[in-house]
Amino acid sequence: MGQNWSIIVPEQTENLVTNPSFETNTTGWSASGSNTIGRDSNQQYSGVYSLLCTYANNTTLATLTISSGLSAGTTYTITARLRVPANWNGGGILLNASGFSSATITQVREWDSATGETDKWVELEIRLATSADATGTILLQTT
């Protein structure tokens, strides 16, 4: 009977993003092309606000520049909760990274437009293994 029990030790979590729930502003985030971003109080996962990305013409919906806080030779798990609207027809959605020298990016969870549900919150996730350079950009993109 003792073989059916196990102890799970949770991983330590530290959020390295300033203002991750957009309660005060959109500091650090930018839109690409003619896409727009802004704080929104109509749909939020937790707290009062979320970041609303309005798609216009660029597959990169929003970006977050990382200029400090990461260490070289470390693997980071990066997640984002995203509400896919009922009328979304812009393809799949994923997180990505660019500008990190010699980094390895592994897709863990992305939203697939062929099989994913709309009008609900989904979680996107990548793993970013930094090597020499710990600065770059996190991207929210369509596929």
Side-chain angles (χ1 to χ4, degrees):
M1 192 180 263
Q3 296 174 352
N4 296 327
W5 291 88
S6 62
I7 297 174
I8 298 172
V9 179
E11 291 182 36
Q12 177 184 351
T13 301
E14 178 183 358
N15 196 334
L16 299 175
V17 175
T18 302
N19 191 24
S21 64
F22 308 101
E23 293 303 312
T24 58
N25 54 44
T26 61
T27 300
W29 288 90
S30 300
S32 294
S34 296
N35 300 340
T36 62
I37 62 168
R39 289 171 61 220
D40 181 57
S41 61
N42 293 321
Q43 299 283 338
Q44 62 276 5
Y45 185 81
S46 69
V48 179
Y49 294 98
S50 65
L51 182 71
L52 175 64
C53 298
T54 303
Y55 174 79
N57 68 346
N58 195 303
T59 58
T60 299
L61 298 170
T63 62
L64 174 67
T65 300
I66 306 292
S67 57
S68 65
L70 302 187
S71 300
T74 305
T75 299
Y76 294 92
T77 299
I78 301 167
T79 60
R81 290 185 180 91
L82 170 79
R83 182 155 183 92
V84 181
N87 62 348
W88 176 254
N89 60 2
I93 306 170
L94 55 79
L95 286 173
N96 205 348
S98 70
F100 294 91
S101 299
S102 304
T104 302
I105 301 154
T106 306
Q107 286 293 330
V108 178
R109 283 183 289 209
E110 59 187 86
W111 185 81
D112 184 346
S113 62
T115 58
E117 294 181 60
T118 59
D119 201 26
K120 66 179 279 187
W121 288 93
V122 298
E123 187 169 80
L124 309 176
E125 181 178 335
I126 60 172
R127 290 219 172 74
L128 173 67
T130 61
S131 57
D133 184 9
T135 62
T137 303
I138 304 302
L139 309 149
L140 178 63
Q141 297 179 307
T142 62
T143 57

